[in-house]
Amino acid sequence: MGNLVLDGVDVVELGRELGTPLYITSRSRLEENIREYRKYFKNADIYYAVKANNNLAIMKIISSRGLGADVFSDGELYLALMGGFKREKILFNGNSKSTEDIVSGIEAGVRFSVDSIDELHAISEIAEEEVEMAFRINPDVSPETHPKIATGLKESKFGIPWEMAERAYEKALKTDHIVPAGIHCHIGSQILSPDPFIEALEKMFDLAIRVEKLGIELDFLDMGGGIGIQYSEEEKAPELKEFSERILDTYEDRLGDLKSEPNLILEPGRSIVGNTTFLLTKVNAVKRAFRNFVAVDAGFNLLMRPAMYGSYHRVVVANRVDETPSETYTIVGPICETGDVLAYDRMLPEVRRGDYVAILDTGAYGFSMSSQYNGRRRCAEVLVDNGRWWIIRERESYADLVGRQIIPPGI
Ligand code: LLP
């Protein structure tokens, strides 16, 4: 009976010692992903998308390698600063920024990606000194991904419509405290081909030429995140090298069209942390019914992706890795909803109560999208590193379920 090993650590032993569910992240995979980005996008600035995974230990590793951060709320800004990111390398994104969001961004001294003219005016009114910004533009590019994570289509809620972008920069120039310094776009997530990125980048350059004619000096062109990873056995693993060659070729080609020399920024989330992590679960019951159901102790409370997007994650019976698959199983969670399915119809070795099932590639949008639904406490997170391990987030307590609730007098 073989056990699954991650970064030199037997994850089944870890599950026995610490209890499950457990998010287990490999430091060496994380370092490798960062190294790849630094190697292939040498002269670009990489701003890690904090929303993918905002664990402080993980962010500390990322920030210490010189990456910046894309944040989407005042809370993410707070987390990013705690995670060691430098304010000069933080871009405050978001399509619905509250006054509180804006104040916190201004106080921290970060740059803004502005999503509407309303927001432009709000920042201008709140700011007392100059604030550098880019508009998030909506380039109307189809990224060929799940509709819920396609963001650069014209019907999406994000960004200034492409045809209105130039006018927006004209307005920015006339607005107090606002210094237009860049152009931002993000077309979607889990994109497996470089083509849509090239299309968006070409459009950004077309706009950049017109923006420069307004007298604006461009300091950066931020093409967002979205490079996909391999989730299923059949899927081809996207090669970062191929993406970088195509993107950098276009970038360098088109740079000659501009007077300024804007830095290229990318905002990867998934491709930095996605494949670093297993969600380790324990089997509470195996039930032969309409399907062979394997009920484990984590569901969409801890991993929302399959229920929300129908997304596919590989599944391994962690304490039987060398046994031959013999039956088809559907992995379900403990949540009181029919949709609480982590994986449909997978060929696995015979599964029994007490076995451990690992859900792979859960480092991005796993824990960060978790909830306490059904009174389920959020689980612990562990970092494994060359045979050693550290708890990097403790499991929540019952007191955390009560949290900040207050019972008014007389009840
Ligand atoms: N920049 C901006 C402005 C974004 O909105 C996002 C992701 C990123 C960068 C990072 O994209 P990435 O490199 O991770 O694809 N919860 C979904 C993904 C939502 C992505 C939201 N925005 C999922 O689990 O697939």
Side-chain angles (χ1 to χ4, degrees), residues 49 51-52 70 72 93 136 149 184 186 188-190 224-227 267-271 305 309 365 369:
K51 60 186 78 85
D70 138 40
F72 219 78
N93 288 315
R136 168 140 177 199
I149 51 177
H184 178 219
H186 168 76
S189 199
Q190 185 52 16
I227 298 180
E267 299 174 344
R270 188 189 314 270
S271 46
R305 306 193 67 255
Y309 317 109
Y365 309 108
M369 290 176 78

Side-chain angles (χ1 to χ4, degrees), residues 114-223:
V114 174
D115 194 275
S116 64
I117 300 299
D118 261 0
E119 183 190 330
L120 183 79
H121 291 146
I123 295 175
S124 164
E125 274 161 32
I126 296 167
E128 284 164 6
E129 285 165 32
E130 292 189 335
V131 176
E132 284 190 19
M133 54 72 70
F135 280 111
R136 168 140 177 199
I137 56 144
N138 181 333
D140 191 19
V141 166
S142 168
E144 291 152 28
T145 186
H146 191 287
K148 280 195 184 157
I149 51 177
T151 47
L153 290 168
K154 68 167 173 289
E155 58 265 40
S156 132
K157 71 172 181 176
F158 296 104
I160 306 270
W162 171 245
E163 16 356 298
M164 298 180 195
E166 195 178 340
R167 284 272 300 138
Y169 280 93
E170 265 169 11
K171 281 196 184 128
L173 278 178
K174 293 188 197 127
T175 309
D176 289 344
H177 305 128
I178 298 287
V179 181
I183 302 177
H184 178 219
C185 88
H186 168 76
I187 55 174
S189 199
Q190 185 52 16
I191 300 169
L192 296 171
S193 152
D195 297 344
F197 290 104
I198 302 302
E199 202 184 326
L201 191 56
E202 294 277 8
K203 285 194 158 180
M204 286 176 88
F205 270 101
D206 294 346
L207 176 63
I209 294 169
R210 289 185 277 132
V211 166
E212 276 193 336
K213 286 200 179 120
L214 302 173
I216 293 172
E217 197 174 322
L218 288 169
D219 188 51
F220 63 97
L221 295 184
D222 178 343
M223 56 186 298

Side-chain angles (χ1 to χ4, degrees), residues 299-342:
F300 75 58
N301 53 319
L302 289 177
L303 181 64
M304 175 65 103
R305 306 193 67 255
M308 188 149 176
Y309 317 109
S311 37
Y312 183 100
H313 286 265
R314 282 174 286 176
V315 163
V316 174
V317 183
N319 56 317
R320 301 179 187 282
V321 285
D322 51 8
E323 288 182 29
T324 321
S326 56
E327 274 192 82
T328 303
Y329 293 98
T330 289
I331 316 297
V332 299
I335 298 302
C336 183
E337 302 233 9
T338 310
D340 185 30
V341 178
L342 294 173

Side-chain angles (χ1 to χ4, degrees), residues 23 55 64 87 95 153 189 195 206 208 222 240 367 370 411:
Y23 269 106
N55 180 284
S64 67
R87 62 160 201 88
N95 68 302
L153 290 168
S189 199
D195 297 344
D206 294 346
D222 178 343
L240 204 57
F367 194 99
S370 64
I411 287 180

